Amino acid sequence: MKKFINEIDAVMRESLGGMVAAHPELLRVEFEPTFIARVQRASKKVALLSGGGSGHEPLHAGFVGRGMLDAACPGQVFTSPTPDQMLAAAEAVHADRGVLFIVKNYAGDSMNFQMASEMLEIENATVLVNDDVAVENSTHTTGRRGVAGTLMVEKMVGAAAERGATLMECKAVGDRVNAATASMGVAFTSCTVPAAGRATFDIGDDEIEVGVGIHGEPGRRREKIKPASRIVEDLLGAIVGDLKPERGSEVLLHVNGFGGTPQMELYLLYHCAAEQLRAQGFKPVRSLVGNYTTSLEMAGASLTVTVLDEELKSLWDAPVHTAALHW
Amino acid sequence: MKKFINEIDAVMRESLGGMVAAHPELLRVEFEPTFIARVQRASKKVALLSGGGSGHEPLHAGFVGRGMLDAACPGQVFTSPTPDQMLAAAEAVHADRGVLFIVKNYAGDSMNFQMASEMLEIENATVLVNDDVAVENSTHTTGRRGVAGTLMVEKMVGAAAERGATLMECKAVGDRVNAATASMGVAFTSCTVPAAGRATFDIGDDEIEVGVGIHGEPGRRREKIKPASRIVEDLLGAIVGDLKPERGSEVLLHVNGFGGTPQMELYLLYHCAAEQLRAQGFKPVRSLVGNYTTSLEMAGASLTVTVLDEELKSLWDAPVHTAALHW
């Protein structure tokens, strides 16, 4: 295993320390228990809190800041954070208007966030994100997995909270974005969790895993590599089949790299996906292309489509200032 | 070779097409000959133009926009663009205040940009970037190579041009940033050029290439993997030894991923490098961490240090709106 690390046990502390050192105007970190929060506690708004296993960076800590999250709780790599992290973060950032937890649907995350929700003595609610249309139930999940569409939920709810929406209004926006969003990905290679020291799964030199999860969980099928446009056909077929947008719908198209795929290929995927969506009568009017919900150094990518309306478009366009998204 | 491509010959067209489709408010592309330019031609400023082989994205097309470049000329992967691209781009974007070419020091780039400079019937000048302190002369280079420090030159000269600096003032800023900037990188893996279909070089499972070039050119030495903090010591030793900043100097510290290294490791490198700089009496007051000057999917990273003064700090902080940098 070749990685830029010193000791396995110090990876999280040194990486989060580096992130905060690189963005001192934006972020602060606590370590006992661990969470990342905005340097300036927001006032008069619902506090938005997310978290999950590390190894998916910039998700979630890269989305802490004005217009998105108030705090993020990173677990160990591919391991859920614990309720004490969520409680400490919620108490540190809330502003007497309630706390909304945004949770990717994995058994560990959903159980731990539920415990935190019950223990927290502040009004709170939860949005469960389950945008991955690849499979029902999976290695770590009952129901559908939450993947790259989580970014859309965090961005749009973040804008609503900044505009003064109540806790229940924020939850309603989050549930609505989740329902309007679907994703599916494909892996070319595995990734290596530092503490494991070996590849999470094996895959042949000419094979791809269609519908892979962001921890390397199996997808729908293993098949031979094929042209990008045909991979995109498969992914969009599943996504559009799930969302069933009306003809003429405006959509946000997100091409998400898993960490090890060059930008040249991600934009090539965008080209194929946008053309196919247009050919089916949809209008990709907003885009996001890059590594946002990663699986360490996995080569591969996912497509996410969010069906837009005027409100969601305006929430997407609203200003955001975080380490990973800034406009 | 597993890549998201359709046909080798279509990679550039489809990838650049996807980039422009994803950023229609920012970018336009021409294909005969090929260049990327701002949608809105700037007026009353020096036109800044860069380019180079593809495969280093987001460099340079990702830096076209307000506050940085006016146009970028991408060659085939790891291959210089041609003078006709540079001439067409310069004629399309100039605003009667002259054209500044920003060129990474590689034999092909420097020869082709020089031809363009001589043929162009518009007043023009060139900044040659050679920030890589790893080696003198190399596979494709006489003198030092130009690598990730090119971003600092493009950003700071971009801000100066936007403020109305003359052609000679822009060139002076560029030369000054180049002199104040030094970089060095290390590779863990090779990359695969699509048209070649196999790894550019071989490297052992426990080996690293110290001082690697951004096309996989050899560096100073091949050695065994070691802790991140000791790799950083080697890179910073060479960089600081070259720049010899005064004690107490403020610096910009850029951790650049080559494409296949997770963000978690890049921030860990930032942590190590910022601590070591502080211990040596320097002040890392500005930062940039991410994949900006890549070598396709190569795993590895480089460090870049720019010694700042009040003018350079202000040029760095100035607003920028491109596909890859936005603040």
Side-chain angles (χ1 to χ4, degrees):
Chain A
M1 175 178 68
K2 285 192 279 192
K3 288 185 183 282
F4 290 106
I5 58 177
N6 291 303
E7 296 162 51
I8 299 285
D9 289 345
V11 169
M12 293 278 301
R13 181 175 288 259
E14 293 181 344
S15 180
L16 294 172
M19 184 176 199
V20 168
H23 304 286
E25 76 293 356
L26 276 181
L27 300 174
R28 67 186 184 91
V29 62
E30 294 286 336
F31 283 114
E32 289 176 5
T34 302
F35 64 89
I36 294 263
R38 300 190 194 184
V39 159
Q40 289 202 295
R41 182 171 175 160
S43 60
K44 299 183 191 164
K45 67 177 275 299
V46 172
L48 303 189
L49 210 147
S50 191
S54 293
H56 305 303
E57 290 72 21
L59 186 82
H60 298 273
F63 306 142
V64 172
R66 191 164 43 79
M68 280 183 91
L69 301 176
D70 292 274
C73 302
Q76 293 294 318
V77 174
F78 293 177
T79 303
S80 172
T82 50
D84 63 315
Q85 293 175 254
M86 301 156 190
L87 289 170
E91 276 153 19
V93 303
H94 85 95
D96 292 321
R97 295 220 35 209
V99 174
L100 185 69
F101 295 113
I102 299 174
V103 183
K104 299 195 298 303
N105 188 35
Y106 295 95
D109 290 332
S110 111
M111 184 180 71
N112 287 344
F113 271 104
Q114 194 184 329
M115 276 175 66
S117 166
E118 287 165 11
M119 292 165 72
L120 184 65
E121 293 178 354
I122 303 163
E123 188 188 9
N124 67 85
T126 297
V127 172
L128 197 67
V129 183
N130 64 349
D131 56 311
D132 189 344
V133 299
V135 291
E136 277 290 327
N137 306 330
S138 177
T139 317
H140 313 293
T141 324
T142 305
R144 294 181 2 176
R145 303 176 292 219
V147 291
T150 312
L151 187 159
M152 282 68 217
V153 175
E154 294 179 359
K155 172 68 185 76
M156 292 177 184
V157 180
E162 223 71 55
R163 288 176 185 173
T166 64
L167 178 61
M168 284 306 121
E169 288 166 347
C170 286
K171 173 168 165 58
V173 168
D175 288 340
R176 203 155 79 74
V177 177
N178 182 53
T181 299
S183 303
M184 188 159 140
V186 53
F188 286 178
T189 67
S190 177
C191 53
T192 297
V193 175
R198 55 184 170 68
T200 301
F201 63 94
D202 293 318
I203 186 163
D205 280 347
D206 59 350
E207 285 181 327
I208 65 176
E209 178 71 30
V210 180
V212 70
I214 56 173
H215 314 90
E217 307 97 303
R220 291 186 174 189
R221 61 182 179 274
R222 187 68 64 93
E223 62 182 41
K224 298 286 178 196
I225 179 78
K226 56 190 185 184
S229 60
R230 290 188 42 217
I231 295 174
V232 167
E233 270 174 37
D234 288 349
L235 301 183
L236 279 185
I239 289 168
V240 170
D242 179 79
L243 290 175
K244 300 187 180 62
E246 283 177 36
R247 207 178 154 79
S249 294
E250 294 189 326
V251 302
L252 162 61
L253 172 57
H254 173 33
V255 176
N256 173 57
F258 285 145
T261 286
Q263 185 181 299
M264 171 182 284
E265 295 175 45
L266 300 181
Y267 276 124
L268 192 150
L269 288 174
Y270 187 87
H271 165 81
C272 297
E275 285 214 331
Q276 292 182 24
L277 285 170
R278 277 191 290 266
Q280 293 172 50
F282 308 118
K283 298 176 186 157
V285 295
R286 294 292 184 277
S287 70
L288 186 70
V289 180
N291 294 309
Y292 291 99
T293 301
T294 62
S295 304
L296 295 167
E297 69 283 352
M298 181 187 283
S302 60
L303 300 182
T304 297
V305 173
T306 300
V307 183
L308 296 170
D309 56 27
E310 290 308 311
E311 186 197 6
L312 297 190
K313 219 161 38 172
S314 149
L315 294 171
W316 179 256
D317 290 343
V320 58
H321 188 179
T322 68
L325 279 191
H326 189 180
W327 60 68
Chain B
M1 176 178 66
K2 286 192 279 192
K3 289 184 182 284
F4 290 107
I5 58 178
N6 292 303
E7 296 161 51
I8 299 284
D9 289 346
V11 170
M12 293 278 302
R13 183 175 287 260
E14 292 181 343
S15 180
L16 294 172
M19 185 177 198
V20 168
H23 304 285
E25 75 294 357
L26 276 181
L27 300 174
R28 68 187 185 87
V29 64
E30 294 288 335
F31 283 114
E32 289 176 3
T34 302
F35 64 89
I36 294 263
R38 300 189 194 185
V39 159
Q40 289 203 293
R41 182 172 176 159
S43 61
K44 300 183 190 166
K45 66 177 276 297
V46 172
L48 302 190
L49 211 149
S50 191
S54 293
H56 306 302
E57 289 72 22
L59 186 82
H60 298 273
F63 306 142
V64 172
R66 191 164 45 78
M68 278 183 94
L69 301 176
D70 292 276
C73 302
Q76 294 294 318
V77 175
F78 293 176
T79 304
S80 173
T82 50
D84 63 316
Q85 293 177 255
M86 300 156 191
L87 290 169
E91 276 153 19
V93 303
H94 85 95
D96 292 321
R97 297 222 32 211
V99 174
L100 185 69
F101 295 113
I102 298 175
V103 183
K104 299 195 299 302
N105 188 34
Y106 294 95
D109 289 332
S110 116
M111 185 180 72
N112 287 344
F113 271 104
Q114 194 184 328
M115 276 175 65
S117 165
E118 287 164 9
M119 293 165 74
L120 184 65
E121 292 176 355
I122 303 163
E123 188 189 10
N124 68 83
T126 297
V127 172
L128 196 68
V129 183
N130 63 349
D131 56 311
D132 189 343
V133 299
V135 291
E136 277 291 326
N137 306 327
S138 177
T139 316
H140 312 294
T141 325
T142 305
R144 293 180 3 175
R145 302 178 292 220
V147 291
T150 311
L151 186 159
M152 281 70 218
V153 175
E154 294 178 358
K155 172 68 185 75
M156 292 177 185
V157 180
E162 222 72 54
R163 287 177 185 172
T166 64
L167 178 60
M168 284 306 121
E169 288 165 346
C170 286
K171 172 168 167 58
V173 168
D175 288 339
R176 202 155 79 75
V177 175
N178 181 53
T181 299
S183 303
M184 188 158 142
V186 54
F188 286 178
T189 68
S190 177
C191 53
T192 298
V193 175
R198 54 183 170 69
T200 302
F201 63 95
D202 293 317
I203 186 163
D205 280 347
D206 59 350
E207 284 182 328
I208 65 177
E209 179 72 30
V210 180
V212 70
I214 56 173
H215 313 91
E217 308 98 301
R220 290 187 173 188
R221 60 181 179 275
R222 187 68 63 93
E223 62 181 41
K224 298 286 178 196
I225 178 78
K226 56 190 186 183
S229 60
R230 290 187 44 217
I231 295 173
V232 168
E233 269 173 37
D234 288 351
L235 301 182
L236 279 185
I239 290 168
V240 170
D242 180 78
L243 290 174
K244 298 187 182 63
E246 284 178 37
R247 208 179 154 80
S249 294
E250 293 190 326
V251 301
L252 161 61
L253 171 57
H254 173 33
V255 176
N256 172 57
F258 285 145
T261 286
Q263 184 181 299
M264 173 182 282
E265 296 175 45
L266 300 181
Y267 276 124
L268 193 150
L269 287 174
Y270 187 87
H271 164 81
C272 297
E275 284 215 332
Q276 291 181 24
L277 285 170
R278 276 192 289 266
Q280 293 172 51
F282 309 119
K283 296 176 187 158
V285 295
R286 293 292 184 278
S287 70
L288 186 70
V289 180
N291 294 310
Y292 291 99
T293 301
T294 61
S295 304
L296 296 167
E297 69 284 352
M298 180 187 284
S302 60
L303 300 182
T304 296
V305 173
T306 301
V307 183
L308 296 170
D309 56 26
E310 290 309 311
E311 186 196 6
L312 297 190
K313 219 160 42 171
S314 150
L315 293 170
W316 179 257
D317 291 342
V320 59
H321 188 177
T322 68
L325 279 191
H326 189 180
W327 59 68

